[in-house]
Amino acid sequence: RFTVARDLLTDSGSIFVQIGDENVHRVRAVMDEVFGDENYISEIYFQKTGDQPSELLPNINDVAIWYAKSKENVKFRRLYIDKRDGTTADRDYRARDEQGRAYQATSLTSPRPPGDFPVKFENLELRPSSGYWKTGQEGFVNLIKAGRVLRSGKTLRYKRFLEDFVVQRQTNFWTDTGGTSDKVYVVQTSTRITERCILMATDPGDLVLDPTCGSGTTATVAEQWGRRWITIDTSRVALALARARIMGARYPFYLLADSRDGQQKEAQVTRTAPSGKPVQGNIRHGFVYERVPHITLKSIANNAEIDVIWDEYQAKLEPLRKALNTVLGTNWQEWEIPRELTLDDAEGRRLKTSETHLRKSGESADKILKDWWQARIARQKAIDASIAAKAEFEYLYDKPYPDNKKVRVAGPFTVESLSPHRMLGEDETGKILDPFQPQKGSGPATQSFAEIILENLKTAGVQQATKEDKISFVSLIPWPGRLICAEGVYHEGDKKKRAAIFIGPEFGTLQRADLVQAALEAADAAFDVVIVCAFNFEAHTTEFSQLGKMPVLKARMNADLHMATDFKTTQKANLFVIFGEPDIEILPRGKDEIAVKIRGVDVYDPTRGEIRSDDADNLACWFVDTDYNGESFFVRQAYFPGTTNDPYKSLKTTMKAEIDAKAWESINKTISRPFAKPASGRIAIKMINHLGDEALKVYKV
């Protein structure tokens, strides 16, 4: 598995493997062998919902092992934690400056040069107590002017504000994951774990592969954050849960960098003029992200603008300082000037000057002091603004700006068929078991796949697009054929008709060649019709509806039949549904373009023995693959033609939002947008009716 994953990865790609803590060493050994130990990146430890019962120390964490295809080329987007959300601010930033801002005093020395020169600070000359200053002489002058230097005994320390960098790097120890709520699958992973892995290692538009789908957490997270995704599972239960989860979710709409709204937001954030570049709405250009300034000692020391601001405000501050010293008869330097003036009264109590009203030379000391501090704080704010403007910043890749006026749902996607290979098991003696063959024992658990299908088929019958069109079997008995496994008898008016029953594979896709052989076998036995039951039909089978005079009805089996041992058979369940073929018209649009018009669905009516055409209003949606490659169906255009008095009323109610009528009209159509003639020479049309049944047909162009 790891070898396949390695071959699938691009040079910048990553692989994350989530395992229990007890298996780390074993999995690491295998991954080292496959990827090379030089491409190991990290073991990420994250907290689970709770501890497992243990007689010794409980284990509350699992591990995600992170490897790269090429460590030197790996894509990495650093994530951050807000320091204001935890205990970091309370623990490390306890002091406050004159503006009430939290800061901490950190070292100004380093074991490496630039220097050990003396620094004059508050009439003292100080050298580093050990090592060297972290900046040169000119840089130190800027630090002092910016109010970033403190005296601590016989050394100097750097004043680092919480606002300088309000976040801290995300490490490999995640204590805030805590499992997942509202589980729909037994091994469902917390979205926060998956989210961080995807955000660290991918960009919008990148492709994420999860070969163990489960409840679809990876696909859901990838869809939310604008990543393309492929997810795989051997269980149709898992796929059904994942599809319901993805299609039923509402996602935020993030501002694209390659959009007009995105350009406007980027200009607002950076305080620059909006870009005039043409936009295409390409998600690969990313989102518009929040960002935080990253103010460092180096950026302050190299900021030449601090000198200019300092000199500008000194022209105001120095006359006020001298006037204050003249009034009070003091010789205060700037760092000695208090916030309030006090005097002792006759009894030794401290009195504010506002109470004593000291006046000299017609000037109030209080007013001078107030003016000085206003100018002093204004200077600090101007310097701080310059520092913030010139500082580097870090993108917060987990915080793109949303457009709160829009709600997003998952785009069209397909659930492709499972592997055509049959899965063989072993019994308690190691003997190979074929799941298609009945096993010894009794009860539903030991029934063969064919027996289970026939039992449900006899009870539920075969449903068509409308409730009236249903084949109800009078009898359904085994038939000893090579492909035909049962004979079903049903009424067509007053006549009894015999249907040959052919059951496709339990896992995989039914091929056209099998249909031909089944129809030949049914014709030799003089059956009236062949009913083919399968979970998935290969695309080219849609073109095969009759062999000579032998009608072939393709009944798609409901995925619930995979849970048949726990599923109660009922006549009300649509377990076997016949869905017709697309009835379309290819419309020329200029020299090299075409469009597709869908006229409806051609359905064979077994009760009348004729083909009936239903109009497109009975379709819930239809999709176009404008360049079908013969293997996978890609949704390139999507339409929702089913109409009511208000076609988007239910959508509006479900999404709790206003729906743009013009936008809805653009997809509420039976004629596609023009597209270039395909290089492959083929297009494919997929239709889904209101019961959720699908039909796919390939057309040559």
Side-chain angles (χ1 to χ4, degrees):
R1 294 178 185 175
F2 291 152
T3 303
V4 172
R6 180 199 60 199
D7 294 341
L8 288 172
L9 285 174
T10 61
D11 284 346
S12 62
S14 293
I15 178 172
F16 295 87
V17 179
Q18 180 181 338
I19 55 174
D21 186 43
E22 67 279 2
N23 293 317
V24 169
H25 296 299
R26 286 193 298 155
V27 176
R28 275 286 307 272
V30 178
M31 296 185 76
D32 279 346
E33 182 179 346
V34 174
F35 288 90
D37 57 0
E38 70 277 7
N39 291 315
Y40 162 77
I41 296 179
S42 182
E43 290 175 8
I44 302 169
Y45 291 83
F46 53 88
Q47 188 171 339
K48 298 184 290 189
T49 307
D51 61 292
Q52 298 296 322
S54 173
E55 295 181 359
L56 301 176
L57 195 65
N59 188 348
I60 65 167
N61 72 277
D62 275 348
V63 181
I65 302 179
W66 182 9
Y67 275 74
K69 175 73 170 286
S70 169
K71 190 173 181 178
E72 62 181 18
N73 296 315
V74 70
K75 181 179 291 187
F76 176 58
R77 303 292 177 252
R78 188 174 297 283
L79 301 183
Y80 295 93
I81 303 171
D82 197 323
K83 290 188 285 193
R84 297 165 296 186
D85 292 343
T87 60
T88 304
D90 296 334
R91 184 185 69 237
D92 298 335
Y93 295 85
R94 297 180 179 180
R96 294 288 187 274
D97 74 346
E98 62 271 8
Q99 299 178 54
R101 297 180 300 169
Y103 71 89
Q104 64 175 177
T106 62
S107 175
L108 262 172
T109 60
S110 165
R112 298 184 300 274
D116 60 354
F117 50 84
V119 173
K120 188 174 182 181
F121 182 76
E122 296 181 356
N123 286 340
L124 296 174
E125 279 197 356
L126 300 169
R127 288 180 177 273
S129 56
S130 63
Y132 304 87
W133 297 124
K134 287 183 176 179
T135 186
Q137 289 179 307
E138 291 183 3
F140 234 114
V141 171
N142 278 346
L143 291 177
I144 293 172
K145 289 180 177 180
R148 292 304 187 112
V149 179
L150 295 169
R151 184 163 62 87
S152 177
K154 295 183 179 181
T155 189
L156 299 176
R157 296 181 71 80
Y158 174 64
K159 186 189 288 186
R160 188 190 308 278
F161 288 101
L162 178 62
E163 296 173 359
D164 286 352
F165 197 42
V166 297
V167 295
Q168 61 188 12
R169 293 180 175 187
Q170 177 69 260
T171 68
N172 70 331
F173 191 61
W174 301 349
T175 59
D176 58 346
T177 51
T180 181
S181 59
D182 302 326
K183 272 193 174 186
V184 295
Y185 201 66
V186 65
V187 290
Q188 184 171 330
T189 305
S190 167
T191 57
R192 188 170 295 177
I193 298 167
T194 308
E195 181 178 271
R196 284 184 184 159
C197 293
I198 288 176
L199 291 175
M200 284 193 301
T202 66
D203 287 323
D206 285 351
L207 181 61
V208 178
L209 169 66
D210 182 359
T212 53
C213 172
S215 63
T217 297
T218 301
T220 302
V221 171
E223 181 72 28
Q224 174 183 344
W225 292 100
R227 274 66 169 172
R228 296 174 298 136
W229 52 267
I230 298 173
T231 190
I232 303 165
D233 208 293
T234 57
S235 167
R236 288 189 180 274
V237 178
L239 292 180
L241 290 172
R243 176 159 56 178
R245 184 178 179 187
I246 297 164
M247 295 180 69
R250 296 190 298 165
Y251 305 95
F253 185 93
Y254 298 125
L255 290 176
L256 296 175
D258 188 29
S259 69
R260 288 294 176 213
D261 289 342
Q263 289 177 343
Q264 294 289 337
K265 188 64 179 181
E266 185 70 26
Q268 177 188 337
V269 172
T270 58
R271 300 180 182 179
T272 57
S275 171
K277 291 194 310 182
V279 294
Q280 303 294 331
N282 188 343
I283 195 172
R284 286 191 171 277
H285 292 190
F287 302 128
V288 182
Y289 297 99
E290 292 185 30
R291 58 212 72 179
V292 293
H294 192 173
I295 298 170
T296 62
L297 182 152
K298 182 179 178 180
S299 68
I300 299 173
N302 294 335
N303 189 339
E305 199 174 56
I306 292 176
D307 266 340
V308 178
I309 298 171
W310 178 274
D311 292 341
E312 177 187 340
Y313 277 91
Q314 280 302 97
K316 303 175 184 177
L317 286 165
E318 269 302 291
L320 289 171
R321 185 181 69 85
K322 290 178 180 179
L324 184 64
N325 282 331
T326 300
V327 169
L328 298 176
T330 57
N331 189 26
W332 283 337
Q333 298 301 312
E334 180 177 310
W335 61 87
E336 297 174 314
I337 297 176
R339 292 302 300 262
E340 292 180 335
L341 297 174
T342 58
L343 291 174
D344 292 336
D345 65 4
E347 299 178 0
R349 293 176 302 181
R350 306 293 286 177
L351 300 176
K352 294 181 181 179
T353 54
S354 57
E355 297 177 74
T356 59
H357 301 289
L358 278 175
R359 293 180 181 277
K360 192 173 184 179
S361 303
E363 293 288 339
S364 167
D366 277 335
K367 184 178 185 306
I368 298 172
L369 183 66
K370 181 179 179 182
D371 291 344
W372 187 89
W373 272 106
Q374 283 182 342
R376 167 71 177 77
I377 292 172
R379 182 187 72 186
Q380 188 63 54
K381 287 183 176 179
I383 290 174
D384 290 341
S386 173
I387 291 171
K390 293 183 179 297
E392 297 180 355
F393 55 82
E394 303 288 350
Y395 286 105
L396 303 182
Y397 290 102
D398 57 343
K399 291 186 178 180
Y401 287 100
D403 184 344
N404 294 322
K405 296 179 181 178
K406 297 177 182 176
V407 177
R408 187 169 63 87
V409 294
F413 63 88
T414 61
V415 177
E416 302 293 345
S417 64
L418 298 179
S419 166
H421 304 292
R422 289 161 58 178
M423 304 295 292
L424 298 180
E426 294 182 357
D427 63 13
E428 65 279 3
T429 65
K431 180 182 176 182
I432 297 296
L433 300 177
D434 187 341
F436 286 9
Q437 300 300 323
Q439 306 301 323
K440 294 180 180 180
S442 59
T446 59
Q447 285 181 300
S448 71
F449 172 67
E451 288 173 332
I452 293 172
I453 297 303
L454 291 176
E455 181 180 333
N456 283 277
L457 181 63
K458 183 177 181 180
T459 306
V462 180
Q463 180 68 56
Q464 293 204 72
T466 61
K467 292 181 179 179
E468 294 78 15
D469 298 333
K470 182 177 181 180
I471 300 174
S472 298
F473 293 104
V474 177
S475 66
L476 192 63
I477 58 176
W479 179 268
R482 191 173 68 85
L483 294 177
I484 305 302
C485 65
E487 175 191 26
V489 177
Y490 66 95
H491 285 288
E492 182 180 302
D494 296 331
K495 296 181 180 179
K496 282 187 178 181
K497 292 291 184 91
R498 296 170 63 242
I501 309 299
F502 172 35
I503 298 175
E506 182 177 5
F507 301 103
T509 301
L510 186 65
Q511 304 298 313
R512 179 189 173 104
D514 295 328
L515 286 185
V516 174
Q517 292 300 317
L520 288 172
E521 187 177 326
D524 289 342
F527 282 98
D528 298 304
V529 64
V530 180
I531 298 178
V532 183
C533 303
F535 289 110
N536 286 282
F537 293 89
E538 187 257 339
H540 298 289
T541 62
T542 57
E543 303 168 3
F544 186 79
S545 59
Q546 192 163 337
L547 181 67
K549 295 182 179 181
M550 178 62 63
V552 178
L553 300 184
K554 295 178 286 292
R556 189 176 298 274
M557 295 192 293
N558 192 307
D560 288 338
L561 286 166
H562 276 289
M563 300 177 284
T565 54
D566 300 315
F567 188 84
K568 185 178 180 181
T569 57
T570 170
Q571 292 181 338
K572 297 181 180 179
N574 291 318
L575 298 180
F576 304 87
V577 179
I578 295 174
F579 192 27
E581 298 180 7
D583 180 11
I584 74 163
E585 180 181 356
I586 307 294
L587 305 175
R589 290 289 187 266
K591 182 179 179 182
D592 297 317
E593 290 191 328
I594 57 174
V596 174
K597 178 180 181 180
I598 190 158
R599 294 184 293 210
V601 187
D602 289 338
V603 181
Y604 176 79
D605 185 348
T607 60
R608 298 181 179 86
E610 60 185 23
I611 294 178
R612 184 186 70 244
S613 182
D614 287 344
D615 59 31
D617 286 348
N618 287 325
L619 292 178
C621 53
W622 64 287
F623 307 127
V624 187
D625 184 343
T626 58
D627 193 5
Y628 181 62
N629 64 6
E631 295 179 355
S632 302
F633 182 89
F634 293 94
V635 177
R636 305 183 196 273
Q637 294 189 24
Y639 301 95
F640 303 83
T643 57
T644 60
N645 293 332
D646 186 353
Y648 42 85
K649 181 179 179 181
S650 58
L651 184 63
K652 188 188 306 183
T653 303
T654 302
M655 297 182 64
K656 300 178 182 177
E658 287 299 316
I659 306 301
D660 186 336
K662 291 184 178 179
W664 176 258
E665 289 171 3
S666 69
I667 57 175
N668 181 221
K669 289 183 174 182
T670 56
I671 300 179
S672 74
R673 295 185 297 277
F675 55 89
K677 291 181 180 179
S680 66
R682 290 174 297 181
I683 65 172
I685 309 297
K686 178 179 283 191
M687 303 185 309
I688 302 178
N689 65 13
H690 293 288
L691 297 175
D693 303 304
E694 300 180 1
L696 176 70
K697 189 166 184 179
V698 180
Y699 294 86
K700 292 182 179 180
V701 177

